[in-house]
Amino acid sequence: MGKWWTMFTSGLVVDGVPAWAGIAAVAVVLGLAEWRWGPARAGAVFVFGHLGATLLTEGAMWVMVTARIPGALSHARDVGISYGLVATGACLLALGPHPLRRYGLSALALALATAWALDQQLADAGHLAALGLGALASRTAWLRTRAPARAS
């Protein structure tokens, strides 16, 4: 139960960066997503990216340990908001205007790939997975429309 509970609750943890930076990132990325899609869709993209990237990285780690691949991270755990934020940010970039989509998404992919190439940490692989999941989410018709206007 502990690993499953951690998977769901780790998206609420700011870890590895100063708390103010994590809070600012959440405010900007999720604020833009909520403004564009509404709270339900923004939350769905965040959860999809967080859970999807976590399952992909944990699954890859399980395969490496099961296959006894040298250097496999058998006890590594990644907790934090970054997978959900990367997926949501990638989705926003993928649905943005052409220059933002072309250069912003490419710059994010290059930065994340560089981080993985230099560190080769579980979190870096998860960030790349989250980028792909965010781009995949942007292909849905559900996100291609703005949220309906709410009455005040």
Side-chain angles (χ1 to χ4, degrees), residues 36-39 41 145-151:
R36 176 155 182 164
W37 306 315
R41 291 188 259 184
T145 59
R146 285 189 176 270
R150 292 176 273 196

Side-chain angles (χ1 to χ4, degrees), residues 35-91:
W35 173 74
R36 176 155 182 164
W37 306 315
R41 291 188 259 184
V45 171
F46 182 91
V47 170
F48 172 68
H50 173 70
L51 294 180
T54 300
L55 288 171
L56 287 170
T57 55
E58 290 288 328
M61 193 169 60
W62 178 81
V63 167
M64 291 183 344
V65 170
T66 302
R68 300 183 196 277
I69 295 174
L73 304 169
S74 61
H75 294 18
R77 294 288 174 259
D78 181 48
V79 296
I81 57 174
S82 59
Y83 291 174
L85 284 178
V86 168
T88 306
C91 191

Side-chain angles (χ1 to χ4, degrees), residues 12-138:
L12 306 173
V13 176
V14 176
D15 188 32
V17 296
W20 64 266
I23 292 168
V26 168
V28 170
V29 173
L30 289 182
L32 285 171
E34 184 177 348
W35 173 74
R36 176 155 182 164
W37 306 315
R41 291 188 259 184
V45 171
F46 182 91
V47 170
F48 172 68
H50 173 70
L51 294 180
T54 300
L55 288 171
L56 287 170
T57 55
E58 290 288 328
M61 193 169 60
W62 178 81
V63 167
M64 291 183 344
V65 170
T66 302
R68 300 183 196 277
I69 295 174
L73 304 169
S74 61
H75 294 18
R77 294 288 174 259
D78 181 48
V79 296
I81 57 174
S82 59
Y83 291 174
L85 284 178
V86 168
T88 306
C91 191
L92 283 167
L93 288 171
L95 290 172
H98 181 70
L100 190 60
R101 187 171 55 244
R102 183 174 185 177
Y103 300 114
L105 200 54
S106 298
L108 180 59
L110 181 61
L112 294 174
T114 301
W116 180 76
L118 294 175
D119 296 335
Q120 295 187 355
Q121 296 293 315
L122 178 68
D124 298 321
H127 293 139
L128 286 169
L131 173 87
L133 292 170
L136 179 65
S138 74

